[in-house]
Amino acid sequence: MTVEGVTTTYERPSTTLRPTGVAGRLFRAAVTIHTVAAFGQPVFAGVYLTGEIGGLDWHAQGANLVFSLGLLQAAVGGAASRRMRRLWPLAVSVLIFAAETGQYTAGLSGLLWVHIPLGVMIIAALAVLSAAVWVRPLPNRAVSDRAKDAGEPQRDETHV
């Protein structure tokens, strides 16, 4: 509890908390790699639109990679949700993967009026998610379990 900038013994500033646990670190890594790969997709589409025929193959291979990374992120998000006892990593990852499924289908069908705006929304969602997992510390399950067992108040470190 903080009163006029005073911190009690039960709270620490969020800058002192570090992400712990394999699940939290794997989730951050999966989100980061997925975001980087997704940001390459508009570049590959732009290469194709400039007249380079091979750019379409790059875009197709990138789509396969991004789709696979989305599935991987959803799986890691499920593990992270279970370990951190928070639903948001799984929920956000599944929603992004569902959008990527629609994106992939629209691209194969040539529905550019769906493919392009959905791609922009996916890129924006991944950028926000990536910022969220790196700006806010991930909760330490062991610390929150000890606080619960000791009857101490708990802090929720994951307001995303």
Side-chain angles (χ1 to χ4, degrees), residues 12-20 28 137-140 143 155 157:
R12 292 178 292 178
S14 63
T15 56
T16 63
L17 297 173
R18 296 287 178 247
T20 58
R28 280 185 172 172
L138 296 173
N140 181 348
V143 170
R155 280 186 68 185
E157 296 295 334

Side-chain angles (χ1 to χ4, degrees), residues 60-153:
Q61 293 302 319
N64 292 333
L65 176 66
V66 169
F67 188 77
S68 299
L69 289 172
L71 183 58
L72 176 69
Q73 179 186 317
V76 172
S81 287
R82 184 165 168 80
R83 289 292 296 164
M84 295 186 308
R85 296 182 181 172
R86 304 285 190 272
L87 184 59
W88 69 266
L90 176 62
V92 172
S93 297
V94 167
L95 286 173
I96 289 174
F97 181 67
E100 286 177 342
T101 302
Q103 170 77 353
Y104 195 87
T105 304
L108 289 175
S109 302
L111 301 173
L112 295 181
W113 63 275
V114 174
H115 186 71
I116 294 172
L118 191 55
V120 171
M121 286 186 274
I122 290 168
I123 293 289
L126 283 170
V128 169
L129 178 61
S130 187
V133 299
W134 282 102
V135 170
R136 299 293 300 178
L138 296 173
N140 181 348
R141 179 179 179 185
V143 170
S144 65
D145 285 348
R146 277 184 274 152
K148 188 181 348 175
D149 293 341
E152 298 173 0

Side-chain angles (χ1 to χ4, degrees), residues 2 4 7 21 26-27 30 43 56 60 80 90 94 101 127 130 139 147-148:
T2 57
E4 298 178 28
T7 304
L26 282 176
F27 184 64
V43 175
L56 187 59
L90 176 62
V94 167
T101 302
S130 187
K148 188 181 348 175

